[in-house]
Amino acid sequence: MSALNLSNKKLATKIIHAGAEPDPSTGAIMTPIFQTSTYVQAAPGVNKGFEYARSQNPTRKALEDALAVLENGKYGLSFSSGVAATDAVIKLLAPGDEVIAASDMYGGTYRLFTKVFEKFGIRFIYVDTTNVANIKSAITDNTKLIWIETPTNPLMNITDIAAVATLAKEAGALLCVDNTFASPYLQNPLNLGADIVMHSATKYLGGHSDVIQGALVMNDASLREQLYFIQKSCGAVPGPMDCFLVLRGIKTLHVRMKQHCENGEKVASYLRNNPKVGKVYWCGFNDHPNYDIAKKQMHGFGGMMSFTLKEDTVEAATKVLSATKIFSLAESLGGVESLINHPASMTHASIPRDERIKNGLSDGLIRLSVGIEDADDLIEDLKQAIG
Ligand SMILES: *Cc1c(COP(=O)(O)O)cnc(C)c1O
């Protein structure tokens, strides 16, 4: 059997075969879980490309190669969590450097920036990135990185990646896009001019709520060298079992995402037509404020959405959050099973209340990660919970 060239293959074929080389020692079709800390060398400095497992591991390498293929990039790096991947990107910077970041983003990213990195002298300027002019006016000579998340968590705001990439290039700053919510199936930021794509692989890439992991993908060789240096020097690497789980999850990414999109559309329309529901945040509605951009840069709209009740209080939301039977009350997203979440007290509790309210994230907001169960059953479940 000769080596498979994936560059001229369609996405579904790439997803199944990316990074997967039969094991040279046995022919095993699945990359084995190389549960080892070190590798025996033939003579000092004579090795097979693997010396110590913090620096290299064959299971991790198979995954990193797969990640690169999925995001249409040259290099993938995987980390022990999504925030560890984010942490590595910020460690490219030095005191005095400025980061322009989205005001509406994952709470843990905000916490890492404000509570960990500010004290090292890195400045973070938060703007509403859905209006690209806000980014432009925040750029200074010290701007080294622009960090965006699109769609955002939990309000499903959309930022124009290509427009921000143009601004970043003009400013000589890097653009990193947190692509967790879209997954590489729905959106490929490198194709739109981003320098780095970040994923919480815990979510759609893993897809089964059984692993914590993060990823970065990039095209530039020197950026890859710097980030690889940080990966091995700081040591936030995933174990081989976790790499195996994400590799396995990736093989069904396209099939899962199609179903997430289909179910997402059905659940969003149901919510919108329920008189007890207030606002529904889902980027597939054609009256979503950035629908045109979403349509241009995404291949589908996914299964993430948020909504408020007409009676937008914590008490009313709590009743719904406690009444669903298929939707489990839990943090996280992107698994095959449906989850329901209360951002104000759960995923976004680390953002101060006035900051949250200012960004439009009300106390009563409910977030859904619509899974791939039967859509009618999901709607029935919400019906009995909302009343
Ligand atoms: C979960 C998440 C992260 C953090 O990833 P972990 O794997 O939990 O460390 C970052 N960004 C987004 C959008 C997320 O949903």
Side-chain angles (χ1 to χ4, degrees):
M1 202 189 125
S2 54
L4 174 65
N5 173 15
L6 283 178
S7 64
N8 59 358
K9 298 293 180 293
K10 302 235 164 52
L11 187 62
T13 310
K14 286 185 179 176
I15 284 173
I16 304 281
H17 293 281
E21 298 285 341
D23 174 47
S25 60
T26 61
I29 190 162
M30 288 302 131
T31 305
I33 300 163
F34 282 89
Q35 196 72 53
T36 189
S37 62
T38 192
Y39 309 87
V40 177
Q41 310 201 8
V46 181
N47 59 60
K48 300 181 165 142
F50 298 93
E51 297 158 288
Y52 184 64
R54 174 158 34 76
S55 306
Q56 311 97 357
N57 177 286
T59 320
R60 194 171 94 212
K61 182 178 183 309
L63 172 61
E64 291 179 335
D65 291 349
L67 292 165
V69 170
L70 292 191
E71 278 293 7
N72 200 22
K74 287 207 181 108
Y75 311 103
L77 290 171
S78 67
F79 293 83
S80 53
S81 67
V83 293
T86 304
D87 172 271
V89 174
I90 305 303
K91 284 174 177 160
L92 292 167
L93 306 176
D97 288 349
E98 292 179 4
V99 180
I100 300 173
S103 50
D104 169 25
M105 61 180 185
Y106 179 69
T109 306
Y110 178 83
R111 180 174 58 197
L112 178 67
F113 288 179
T114 55
K115 298 277 166 61
V116 178
F117 281 111
E118 262 176 22
K119 67 171 186 275
F120 293 106
I122 296 166
R123 285 196 60 217
F124 296 88
I125 295 101
Y126 300 94
V127 302
D128 173 0
T129 58
T130 60
N131 181 354
V132 176
N134 292 335
I135 298 181
K136 190 166 186 162
S137 49
I139 288 173
T140 72
D141 290 345
N142 297 324
T143 306
K144 294 287 156 58
L145 174 70
I146 301 176
W147 185 282
I148 62 171
E149 195 180 307
T150 182
T152 61
N153 177 10
L155 292 174
M156 307 307 294
N157 287 318
I158 301 290
T159 292
D160 187 336
I161 299 172
V164 181
T166 305
L167 280 183
K169 291 228 157 47
E170 280 166 18
L174 294 172
L175 170 62
C176 182
V177 180
D178 182 337
N179 202 28
T180 300
F181 264 43
S183 89
Y185 181 74
L186 297 182
Q187 180 171 273
N188 300 114
L190 297 180
N191 290 357
L192 301 164
D195 299 287
I196 308 170
V197 180
M198 175 264 161
H199 280 282
S200 168
T202 311
K203 316 296 166 57
Y204 286 109
L205 285 170
H208 295 75
S209 307
D210 53 10
V211 66
I212 294 283
Q213 201 176 102
L216 299 176
V217 182
M218 65 241 82
N219 276 317
D220 184 77
S222 101
L223 195 52
R224 190 262 172 201
E225 278 319 299
Q226 293 173 65
L227 287 165
Y228 172 65
F229 180 81
I230 292 167
Q231 183 199 42
K232 75 174 180 193
S233 303
C234 299
V237 290
M241 177 71 195
D242 288 356
C243 293
F244 176 85
L245 287 172
V246 176
L247 268 169
R248 170 192 263 230
I250 283 173
K251 288 188 190 293
T252 54
L253 179 69
H254 54 309
V255 186
R256 288 186 283 110
M257 290 314 295
K258 273 184 206 157
Q259 199 61 44
H260 282 298
C261 289
E262 197 179 309
N263 287 1
E265 182 167 3
K266 287 184 180 159
V267 171
S269 320
Y270 154 73
L271 287 172
R272 187 167 246 201
N273 292 317
N274 184 328
K276 291 207 175 147
V277 170
K279 204 164 176 248
V280 185
Y281 301 85
W282 183 61
C283 60
F285 288 133
N286 60 14
D287 58 355
H288 180 287
N290 294 106
Y291 177 74
D292 291 343
I293 295 163
K295 214 170 147 112
K296 188 182 71 178
Q297 69 189 13
M298 300 174 76
H299 315 300
F301 306 109
M304 292 304 302
M305 65 193 68
S306 297
F307 67 98
T308 55
L309 297 165
K310 281 257 163 66
E311 188 193 335
D312 187 9
T313 62
V314 178
E315 292 69 33
T318 302
K319 270 196 201 135
V320 173
L321 290 154
S322 318
T324 54
K325 297 190 170 76
I326 301 179
F327 283 86
S328 303
L329 178 63
E331 297 198 4
S332 200
L333 60 110
V336 289
E337 60 285 296
S338 294
L339 300 180
I340 190 165
N341 168 291
H342 182 230
S345 69
M346 297 166 71
T347 43
H348 291 62
S350 52
I351 302 178
R353 184 173 184 274
D354 46 341
E355 199 64 32
R356 261 195 290 115
I357 303 289
K358 202 176 76 196
N359 296 333
L361 201 164
S362 77
D363 288 336
L365 191 81
I366 296 172
R367 188 185 83 182
L368 299 180
S369 171
V370 176
I372 63 170
E373 299 96 335
D374 185 274
D376 293 339
D377 286 339
L378 295 178
I379 291 169
E380 275 309 309
D381 191 35
L382 291 170
K383 244 184 219 163
Q384 62 82 25
I386 298 170

